[in-house]
Amino acid sequence: MASHRRPKQPSRTRVTVLTTAAAAAVALTSQAANAAPSEKPSKDEVKSKVDKLYEEAEKATEKYNGAKEKQEKLQKEISTIQDNVARGQEDLNELREGIGQAASAQYRSGGIDSSIQLFLSADPDDYLDKAATLDQLTSQQVESLKKIQEKQRSLAQQREEASEKLEDLADTRETLGKKKKEVQSKLAQAQKLLNSLTAAEKAALAAEEDRATRDSAREALGSDSPAPGRASSAYSAAQSQIGKPYVYGATGTASYDCSGLTSWAYAQAGITIPRTSQAQANTGTRIYSQADLQVGDLVFFYSDIHHVGFYAGNGQVLHAPRSGAVVRYEAMSNMPFQFGVRV
């Protein structure tokens, strides 16, 4: 006989759970439909973020420049020490050979016993400590042994110094690699943001930058502030590089970074100044008032002094500004001025 049982109804609890879940799903769907889509950053917002990334890249660039300069200095110092050690070893070998020949001749003639000959050939330092035997050596031999001692000590010190500098060089190379990666990372992030702009937005930004550069050039060229001493020649050299691209770590003449331009320009005037902006800040008399600046003075920006350029008159700076730009005039008010330096 077929069963006539009624099908089991879902419990009230289960119905409530399902109903609540369904309601939540509907609500979430509704919220998603009504939510405003994520807004694309405006041209000005992108420019602000890109400028910040360029500033961070330049900070890393100056540290990269400092590490590179230190690396080159250490390499020269190590090479000099190694050359000195090689020459010193040759001198030491000659001294040893000379005293050895004298000792052998003296031994053959019966003037010195075999134990003293052993001391001479094995360890001159130890031998000299045995003062009781000195009366069996000529004054010339004693002087030769003293020279050997001094040369051995000198070579040991030089080798230790070279070893320490080699360790420092390894650390410096590691720092150099890290800073290079940091710069490249910041520049890649900036380029990614710029690529998010439309062609029209990119063109608008370029037009704004060109207009500002032309205005700054008019202001600078209208200045009658005299350049001091050889700073005039350095400033003229920098002017001749207007339009050259900024490239981090570059010192000319195809491209420059900020301190690369200033150090190159002063070199054309016959003045050697350090490679980095922080070091260049200590190359002359500091000038804290913009009103006292003269064309050709170095001007420094940001609290950590990671940017430098030439004062161009009328509140303008001639500099290599950042990646993606060229050597140009710009209003000093665009950056936090710290002080000037008259080299």
Side-chain angles (χ1 to χ4, degrees):
M1 180 182 295
S3 172
H4 295 288
R5 291 181 181 176
R6 295 174 62 187
K8 186 177 181 181
Q9 298 297 316
S11 69
R12 181 174 296 178
T13 300
R14 186 163 177 261
V15 170
T16 301
V17 171
L18 290 172
T19 302
T20 302
V26 171
L28 288 171
T29 303
S30 176
Q31 288 173 9
N34 294 329
S38 59
E39 294 183 0
K40 176 178 176 292
S42 68
K43 169 177 66 69
D44 291 338
E45 288 172 333
V46 168
K47 183 180 183 305
S48 178
K49 291 178 180 178
V50 167
D51 287 346
K52 182 64 177 174
L53 285 167
Y54 281 147
E55 182 189 339
E56 291 171 355
E58 190 174 37
K59 285 183 185 179
T61 293
E62 285 303 288
K63 291 179 180 177
Y64 167 87
N65 289 338
K68 188 174 182 182
E69 185 178 41
K70 183 178 179 181
Q71 174 186 254
E72 292 169 354
K73 182 181 178 182
L74 283 169
Q75 286 173 329
K76 289 179 182 177
E77 290 175 351
I78 290 168
S79 178
T80 298
I81 292 172
Q82 289 174 336
D83 287 344
N84 290 339
V85 168
R87 285 194 295 270
Q89 188 63 53
E90 289 177 2
D91 293 342
L92 179 60
N93 291 342
E94 289 179 6
L95 286 169
R96 281 175 169 166
E97 184 178 355
I99 195 70
Q101 289 174 350
S104 296
Q106 200 168 357
Y107 170 66
R108 285 194 298 271
S109 67
I112 188 170
D113 65 33
S114 59
S115 62
I116 293 176
Q117 185 188 30
L118 177 63
F119 282 133
L120 285 172
S121 61
D123 192 342
D125 280 348
D126 186 51
Y127 175 76
L128 277 177
D129 290 336
K130 297 175 173 55
T133 63
L134 287 178
D135 59 351
Q136 299 183 57
L137 296 175
T138 67
S139 60
Q140 184 177 0
Q141 289 171 333
V142 171
E143 189 61 31
S144 294
L145 284 170
K146 286 180 178 178
K147 286 182 180 179
I148 289 174
Q149 276 187 312
E150 291 169 1
K151 184 65 68 174
Q152 285 176 322
R153 292 192 190 101
S154 175
L155 287 175
Q157 290 172 352
Q158 289 178 316
R159 289 189 177 107
E160 183 178 356
E161 183 181 358
S163 178
E164 290 172 356
K165 288 186 181 294
L166 283 167
E167 289 180 9
D168 196 2
L169 179 60
D171 292 340
T172 301
R173 281 175 171 161
E174 184 178 354
T175 299
L176 192 64
K178 287 179 179 177
K179 289 305 169 187
K180 184 175 183 179
K181 287 180 181 178
E182 185 177 346
V183 173
Q184 292 172 330
S185 173
K186 299 295 182 185
L187 295 181
Q189 292 176 57
Q191 190 58 56
K192 185 177 180 180
L193 280 170
L194 288 172
N195 290 342
S196 71
L197 297 174
T198 64
E201 288 172 328
K202 290 177 183 177
L205 279 180
E208 290 173 9
E209 199 167 273
D210 287 343
R211 185 163 53 252
T213 299
R214 287 195 300 272
D215 291 344
S216 289
R218 279 195 298 270
E219 288 291 325
L221 296 175
S223 170
D224 57 1
S225 177
R230 280 195 275 182
S232 175
S233 298
Y235 179 68
S236 296
Q239 284 180 304
S240 73
Q241 301 305 295
I242 288 175
K244 297 288 183 71
Y246 178 105
V247 173
Y248 79 91
T251 56
T253 57
S255 56
Y256 300 89
D257 61 21
C258 70
S259 56
L261 174 66
T262 50
S263 59
W264 175 85
Y266 265 99
Q268 309 318 298
I271 300 175
T272 300
I273 62 174
R275 173 65 179 90
T276 66
S277 57
Q278 290 91 345
Q280 289 177 13
N282 298 314
T283 55
T285 304
R286 290 194 178 187
I287 303 161
Y288 291 93
S289 171
Q290 289 191 42
D292 295 332
L293 291 172
Q294 293 179 307
V295 173
D297 286 337
L298 294 177
V299 282
F300 297 85
F301 302 88
Y302 301 98
S303 60
D304 61 353
I305 319 299
H306 71 258
H307 189 74
V308 61
F310 284 97
Y311 183 62
N314 288 338
Q316 308 301 312
V317 58
L318 173 60
H319 65 156
R322 56 169 176 76
S323 293
V326 298
V327 175
R328 68 188 186 195
Y329 297 103
E330 188 172 345
M332 286 174 60
S333 58
N334 290 346
M335 299 172 287
F337 170 73
Q338 302 300 308
F339 53 81
V341 165
R342 188 157 298 155
V343 178

